[in-house]
Amino acid sequence: MRLIIVDDEIELAENLKKMLELKGFAVDWLPSADKALNRILLYQKEYDAVILDLSMEGMNGMELTKRLREEKVSLPIIILTGDSATATKIALLNSGADDYIVKPFSVDELIARVNSVIRRPALPLPITISAGNITMDTVQRTITVSQKHVPLSLKEYALLECFVREPGKVLSREQLSNKVWDFASLTLSNVLDVHMVSLRKKIASDGETTRFETIRGVGYRLII
C-alpha cells in the first residue's frame, strides 16, 4: 500500500514516514501543499491514501483537500490536526476529508484509520482477500497458503497483495515498483526480480496450480 504525507513539520513527517515504512507501507513525503497538489494530480492512481497536516504555511490542509476534490481526486484523505474543537472537525469533513486524527496520536491508530478509509470507495475493499489457495488478512497483514501460515517480508507482502487483488492480470514492472517502493527509493533493476524469486518459493505448494508467470519484457501475473 502506498501513501503520501504532506506536512511542513520536517521532524514529525520524517519520523512518521519511518514508522509507517516499518509497518510495511511505501511512503512519499512532501513538505509543500502546492507541490503535493501537482504530484497527486499526476500520480493519483499510484496512491492508496493521502495523509496531510492541517496547519501548513501557504496552502493549508483544508485548502489542499478542497482543491483535490475540485479536481475530482477521489483518493481517501486523512487530516492531522492539533485542534480538537468540534467546529474544526466538522469543517474538515465538510471540506472533503474522509477522516481526521487529533495530535498526539499513535501510529497504530493512524494505520487503523487508513485501513478504514480505503475500504470506503464505491467498491469496498474487503478485509480478507483470496486468490487460489492464497488468503490474505489485510488488517493483521498475514497470509496463508493452503491454510498454512507463511511469513513474508514487508515488501513481499506488499507485492503479493497487488497480485491477489487482481489475479490473472498482467502487472508491469513499473506498476509493481510504483505500488511497493516510494519515489525516493533506490530501486535497482534487479530488486523486483529478487523479491519475486523469494515470493515464488514461499507460495509454492504441492498439488496446487496457483503460481506466478513471468511475462518477458513486461512483468508478472498470478495464475490461479
Side-chain angles (χ1 to χ4, degrees), residues 108-125:
D108 287 338
E109 180 184 0
L110 177 59
I111 290 173
R113 289 176 182 269
V114 169
N115 286 332
S116 176
V117 297
I118 67 169
R119 292 196 297 270
R120 295 180 190 172
L123 295 175
L125 300 177

Side-chain angles (χ1 to χ4, degrees), residues 10-185:
I10 297 175
E11 185 175 355
L12 185 150
E14 287 182 339
N15 288 336
L16 184 57
K17 183 178 189 297
K18 289 177 183 176
M19 288 187 286
L20 287 169
E21 287 173 339
L22 288 173
K23 295 291 186 177
F25 295 90
V27 185
D28 291 319
W29 164 57
L30 287 175
S32 161
D34 291 304
K35 291 180 180 178
L37 176 62
N38 293 329
R39 168 76 67 84
I40 294 169
L41 290 178
L42 285 171
Y43 298 104
Q44 58 183 291
K45 292 183 179 179
E46 311 297 344
Y47 292 110
D48 295 287
V50 180
I51 300 170
L52 56 88
D53 190 56
L54 175 60
S55 301
M56 292 185 284
E57 292 187 9
M59 188 191 307
N60 65 29
M62 192 181 302
E63 292 168 342
L64 175 56
T65 299
K66 290 178 179 178
R67 288 287 302 278
L68 290 171
R69 296 312 188 212
E70 288 170 359
E71 295 291 341
K72 310 301 182 185
V73 174
S74 60
L75 278 171
I77 297 174
I78 299 176
I79 296 183
L80 312 179
T81 176
D83 188 347
S84 61
T86 299
T88 299
K89 296 174 183 177
I90 292 172
L92 293 177
L93 295 174
N94 286 339
S95 72
D98 295 89
D99 202 351
Y100 60 85
I101 186 166
V102 178
K103 303 174 186 177
F105 55 86
S106 71
V107 173
D108 287 338
E109 180 184 0
L110 177 59
I111 290 173
R113 289 176 182 269
V114 169
N115 286 332
S116 176
V117 297
I118 67 169
R119 292 196 297 270
R120 295 180 190 172
L123 295 175
L125 300 177
I127 292 175
T128 302
I129 54 177
S130 300
N133 63 326
I134 301 171
T135 299
M136 306 186 74
D137 184 320
T138 62
V139 173
Q140 298 298 323
R141 300 182 73 80
T142 58
I143 80 149
T144 58
V145 178
S146 296
Q147 300 184 334
K148 295 180 181 179
H149 173 71
V150 176
L152 297 181
S153 71
L154 297 176
K155 294 304 184 186
E156 289 168 350
Y157 179 93
L159 279 171
L160 185 59
E161 184 174 356
C162 294
F163 290 105
V164 173
R165 291 199 182 279
E166 299 187 273
K169 180 179 178 180
V170 176
L171 301 180
S172 71
R173 298 173 62 84
E174 182 180 10
Q175 285 176 302
L176 293 168
S177 295
N178 286 343
K179 272 292 185 182
V180 178
W181 285 274
D182 60 69
F183 277 103
S185 292

